[in-house]
Amino acid sequence: MRKRFASLTPAQLRVFEQVAINQDGGHHPSTLKALERRGMIESYQERWSDKFPGSITRYMVPLPVHIAWCEWCAEQAADMVE
């Protein structure tokens, strides 16, 4: 799993980090799709409200991936200290 983070492009890593902290709006669709194909994020539909018809696509990081990302970040920080 950790190799998956190191192999992300800078744009993919930025978008992944934003989705991981619930900032999933306004990202380029192709970057989101690439992360979704790799299993790094998942999409779901969220209804606007009962008053307005329609829904939007939202993105989230699955918990096992989020845990692995936290471990990877800790390793990167530890390498900086050494």
Side-chain angles (χ1 to χ4, degrees):
M1 177 70 74
R2 292 183 185 121
K3 287 182 181 181
R4 293 169 76 182
F5 297 110
S7 67
L8 294 176
T9 68
Q12 290 172 340
L13 186 57
R14 275 193 308 276
V15 171
F16 175 81
E17 290 171 344
Q18 289 296 301
V19 172
I21 60 170
N22 294 325
Q23 301 297 321
D24 65 337
H27 302 295
H28 198 281
S30 65
T31 304
L32 291 166
K33 290 292 181 200
L35 290 170
E36 195 170 16
R37 275 193 309 271
R38 295 177 75 160
M40 304 296 284
I41 63 174
E42 294 176 355
S43 63
Y44 64 96
Q45 295 297 310
E46 184 176 280
R47 286 184 49 155
W48 286 333
S49 73
D50 292 333
K51 293 181 182 182
F52 302 103
S55 62
I56 59 171
T57 302
R58 300 289 312 262
Y59 296 90
M60 61 164 284
V61 176
L63 186 58
V65 177
H66 201 290
I67 291 169
W69 175 59
C70 292
E71 290 172 349
W72 181 76
C73 289
E75 289 174 1
Q76 302 307 304
D79 288 347
M80 293 175 143
V81 173
E82 293 176 357

